[in-house]
Amino acid sequence: MSRRAPGNPEEGRGHQPPLDGAGRPAVPAARGDGAPRHLPSLLASLCERLPEDRTVEWERALARASGPEDPSLLRFVAAQQAAGLAERLRQIVAAWRREAPGMPGAALAFALATARELPRPLPAVPVVTGPLSPATPARLTSSVVLDVVRSAKSSLLLCSFAAHGVDSLMTEVAAAVRRGVQVDLLLEETTRAAAAFSGLPPEIRIWHRTAATGVLHAKLIAADRHTAFLGSANLTDRALKENIELGVIIRDTAEVAPLVDHFQWLIAPGTGLMRLA
């Protein structure tokens, strides 16, 4: 399950109040001297931003750190490839340095693990490609797409009008097939999108519309029945990394399951709406 954690920019880069998991200004906990404390809310909201396996990675990195200045921790932060995520992780280190510099990393790791185990509603999260402004508590399209594919355990459904140049996505889809995931690709035939997936295992099913009019223009990636990514981005290298695109990731089974059911109905043999490529 993927979670998110927006917050305020690192010191010296302009002030913005930290945000909670729904993108609203977070109410900081009070310190013993009455001053607000942002570190607890930053740790809790991190769990809402990251998939569980990535959160566990951060717990391990924190547990190894003796304090906020530990070189191993700073290297871990610097190694994060998603610019928005790296910035928010720096905010946690900055808050740790300001508010509890004597606290060992193991204590923060324990707090993060506790927050990860707490049941909580997960809001829809904005996802973007293109420039990230400080006002946008969003995740990057390229990283979200891969996270959703990795989270699939039994079924994976991808819809796209166009597709090409997505080697990293193909690698993850192939890995999903190897772990027993049924993969269905619903692609627009006129754009020759299926050619982008020609090197994938034969177990993958590729579907085209049977109708002569209209096109398949939907963009969807759904993992099992628990997570879905909807947006403007096609499955192309430019759409995932360079264009200005906008989407949303949903992690509510009550919302995702009907979407999956709809597209499974579209490819059901009895409807005659889609055919195998």
Side-chain angles (χ1 to χ4, degrees):
M1 182 166 53
S2 177
R3 298 162 175 152
R4 64 188 279 274
N8 55 318
E10 189 177 8
E11 293 181 358
R13 300 189 60 177
H15 176 70
Q16 177 190 0
L19 306 175
D20 65 13
R24 299 181 297 266
V27 178
R31 284 164 45 176
D33 56 7
R37 184 190 296 274
H38 297 298
L39 183 57
S41 60
L42 289 172
L43 286 171
S45 57
L46 182 68
C47 293
E48 296 182 355
R49 174 179 170 79
L50 292 177
E52 185 169 0
D53 59 341
R54 299 285 298 283
T55 306
V56 171
E57 286 180 15
W58 243 84
E59 290 171 18
R60 291 170 179 166
L62 286 169
R64 292 192 297 266
S66 58
E69 308 299 339
D70 191 299
S72 66
L73 179 63
L74 300 180
R75 286 194 298 270
F76 180 83
V77 175
Q80 304 303 307
Q81 295 183 351
L85 175 59
E87 177 62 27
R88 289 177 173 90
L89 296 180
R90 292 188 190 98
Q91 295 162 17
I92 290 177
V93 175
W96 184 8
R97 186 182 299 120
R98 289 192 309 269
E99 299 169 9
M103 182 178 293
L108 270 67
F110 183 78
L112 191 57
T114 301
R116 178 168 55 84
E117 292 298 326
L118 291 175
R120 66 182 67 218
L122 295 175
V125 179
V127 179
V128 301
T129 306
L132 283 176
S133 72
T136 307
R139 295 199 59 199
L140 297 175
T141 305
S142 55
S143 63
V144 166
V145 165
L146 299 183
D147 283 343
V148 174
V149 173
R150 289 167 183 153
S151 72
K153 293 181 172 58
S154 60
S155 65
L156 181 64
L157 189 147
L158 299 93
C159 301
S160 188
F161 174 75
H164 58 78
V166 284
D167 293 343
S168 58
L169 174 61
M170 289 185 59
T171 298
E172 292 301 332
V173 172
V177 173
R178 289 194 295 271
R179 63 177 181 266
V181 175
Q182 173 61 59
V183 178
D184 288 289
L185 303 177
L186 283 69
L187 304 171
E188 172 55 32
E189 187 172 13
T190 62
T191 64
R192 302 184 184 277
F197 301 94
S198 59
L200 290 175
E203 295 90 339
I204 290 177
R205 300 185 299 194
I206 298 177
W207 302 86
H208 293 320
R209 279 173 55 91
T210 56
T213 59
V215 297
L216 189 154
H217 203 252
K219 289 90 174 181
L220 166 70
I221 302 178
D224 303 329
R225 300 168 67 82
H226 56 69
T227 304
F229 167 57
L230 312 172
S232 61
N234 284 302
L235 297 179
T236 69
D237 48 356
R238 294 189 64 181
L240 299 184
K241 297 180 180 179
E242 299 176 14
N243 295 348
I244 294 180
E245 306 276 3
L246 179 64
V248 64
I249 184 167
I250 305 171
R251 305 182 194 87
D252 184 343
T253 301
E255 300 292 338
V256 175
L259 283 175
V260 174
D261 288 341
H262 172 70
F263 282 91
Q264 289 293 345
W265 174 78
L266 288 176
I267 64 177
T271 64
L273 299 173
M274 306 285 292
R275 58 177 173 79
L276 286 169

